[in-house]
């Protein structure tokens, strides 16, 4: 509720308090650390966000929830992409791809790859990843944004504006 009411400081304090509760409910702890990772990400503290997502993934694994674990690993990979740490990002993604067959998790990894491609100025690859996701029906606004940014960075403003307009139309509908 505190996050939803745009009060990240109090939300973070509530989550920190939850980590000190000595609970052995690893699912709840996994969610707590994941929320802390999201707050850190929004604040631009990607190394700390990575650490929180790593703790979250570990909690989910201790709980036996491998699906949540792989989502957490993708969150870790995304933070490494934000830090432009290509090797660490790809290592996390490789682990997921070798061990998880869940369609939605794999789509998330492709989105992370697209973001990594943007960071490394591999705009054609970012567009290819985005196209794959869009064609598969995984066309959330962040995927479309990656595509718009890639076209903009390739100095193709008409295409960039087309996808930016799609994002705006979706934002107005929500």
């Amino acid at each position: 509720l505190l996050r939803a009411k745009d009060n990240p400081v109090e939300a973070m304090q509530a989550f920190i308090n939850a980590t000190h509760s000595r609970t052995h409910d690893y699912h709840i702890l996994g969610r707590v650390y994941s929320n802390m990772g999201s707050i850190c990400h929004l604040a631009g503290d990607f190394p700390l966000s990575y650490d929180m997502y790593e703790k979250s993934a570990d909690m989910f694994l201790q709980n036996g929830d491998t699906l949540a674990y792989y989502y957490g690993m993708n969150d870790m990979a995304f933070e490494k992409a934000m830090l432009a740490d290509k090797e660490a990002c790809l290592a996390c993604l490789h682990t997921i791809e070798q061990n998880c067959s869940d369609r939605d998790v794999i789509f998330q990894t492709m989105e992370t790859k697209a973001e990594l491609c943007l960071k490394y100025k591999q705009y054609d690859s970012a567009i290819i990843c985005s196209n794959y996701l869009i064609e598969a029906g995984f066309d959330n606004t962040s995927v479309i944004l990656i595509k718009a940014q890639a076209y903009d960075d390739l100095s193709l403003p008409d295409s960039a504006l087309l996808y930016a307009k799609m994002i705006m139309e979706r934002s107005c509908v929500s």
Side-chain angles (χ1 to χ4, degrees), residues 5 22 29 35 58 112 114 120 127 155 171:
K5 292 184 187 249
R22 300 178 198 237
L29 287 172
N35 276 286
D58 183 52
T112 298
Y120 276 88
I127 291 168
S155 298
S171 297

Side-chain angles (χ1 to χ4, degrees), residues 1-8:
L1 290 173
L2 292 167
R3 279 187 64 194
K5 292 184 187 249
D6 199 28
N7 195 338

